[in-house]
Amino acid sequence: MTSDIQLRMAQAGDAPALLEIFTPYVLQTAVAFNYEPPTLEEFGATMADRLRRYPYLVAQLGGKLIGYAYASPFKQRAAYDWAVETSIYVKQGQTGTGCGRRLYEALERILKAQHILSMYACIAYTDQPDDHLTNNSPEFHAHMGYELTAKFPKCGYKFNKWYDMIWMHKEIGPHTDTPLPVIPVTELDVNSLL
């Protein structure tokens, strides 16, 4: 099924379908610490902001969007330019299709081409998996080569339970004394990297 999945950069018109993928993570899980999903306008504005500098990828199967992954600034200060935060959401019922792996591998190729050196992921975590949170995300990230960086105990409260947050990271380039400047994604031929 992986070979049937097609990847491309997100477009503004994808926002409703991507918000539909994200909303169950907010309303039914502790994967996202939001209590309410963003409005379509808020979601679209965030997409547009990310697309100015970073990859925001969507996965299609049979013409329908089944997942997305994107990079965000790790922090807004200049010294952090070579680090990004990554996020990924796969439509419920589409896990195990290879969608997540395809999205993250393509995201990493593009980020390397941009001269990004470090990828970080902020992930909800629990010592006791429940109906609202498994540890599939940390396991997926570990499988993709991420390592545990930090754990913040009981920092998120949702569904009448305290959840931890962990940060995981993956180094994708050498940290030299003179790193190459980061290239905005808009200046790359992204299609050649998908």
Side-chain angles (χ1 to χ4, degrees):
M1 184 173 299
T2 302
S3 61
D4 297 331
I5 296 171
Q6 293 157 355
L7 305 183
R8 63 171 172 79
M9 284 286 280
Q11 303 163 357
D14 296 327
L18 300 185
L19 180 55
E20 188 177 313
I21 291 170
F22 180 63
T23 295
Y25 285 99
V26 174
L27 298 179
Q28 301 166 11
T29 79
V31 169
F33 278 178
N34 321 48
Y35 284 0
E36 297 294 329
T39 66
L40 181 57
E41 293 74 23
E42 291 166 339
F43 192 90
T46 300
M47 279 181 64
D49 181 61
R50 301 298 179 263
L51 281 163
R52 280 192 258 289
R53 186 166 171 91
Y54 299 107
Y56 199 121
L57 304 177
V58 297
Q60 289 180 226
L61 181 62
K64 298 195 181 221
L65 296 178
I66 61 165
Y68 64 102
Y70 61 92
S72 306
F74 179 65
K75 293 284 184 186
Q76 295 290 350
R77 297 181 182 135
Y80 293 110
D81 275 0
W82 294 269
V84 296
E85 181 179 349
T86 59
S87 299
I88 184 167
Y89 295 94
V90 175
K91 187 173 186 164
Q92 291 184 349
Q94 294 294 328
T95 55
T97 61
C99 174
R101 171 177 280 286
R102 288 276 312 277
L103 282 166
Y104 251 28
E105 287 174 346
L107 191 71
E108 184 176 325
R109 282 193 300 274
I110 296 166
L111 292 170
K112 282 181 179 179
Q114 289 186 267
H115 304 147
I116 298 295
L117 303 176
S118 300
M119 296 166 42
Y120 293 90
C122 179
I123 304 167
Y125 180 83
T126 180
D127 290 327
Q128 299 293 323
D130 59 33
D131 291 340
H132 301 291
L133 188 66
T134 66
N135 286 325
N136 288 348
S137 187
E139 292 163 5
F140 168 76
H141 282 82
H143 189 67
M144 295 302 296
Y146 284 68
E147 298 175 9
L148 181 66
T149 304
K151 180 178 179 181
F152 298 83
K154 297 177 178 57
C155 65
Y157 184 75
K158 193 171 180 181
F159 302 119
N160 301 313
K161 180 178 175 181
W162 288 102
Y163 291 99
D164 302 337
M165 176 185 65
I166 61 172
W167 279 91
M168 297 182 77
H169 80 283
K170 182 176 184 179
E171 304 301 321
I172 59 172
H175 290 72
T176 64
D177 290 339
T178 54
L180 295 170
V182 174
I183 302 169
V185 72
T186 54
E187 296 179 18
L188 296 176
D189 175 12
V190 173
N191 291 329
S192 69
L193 299 166
L194 297 175

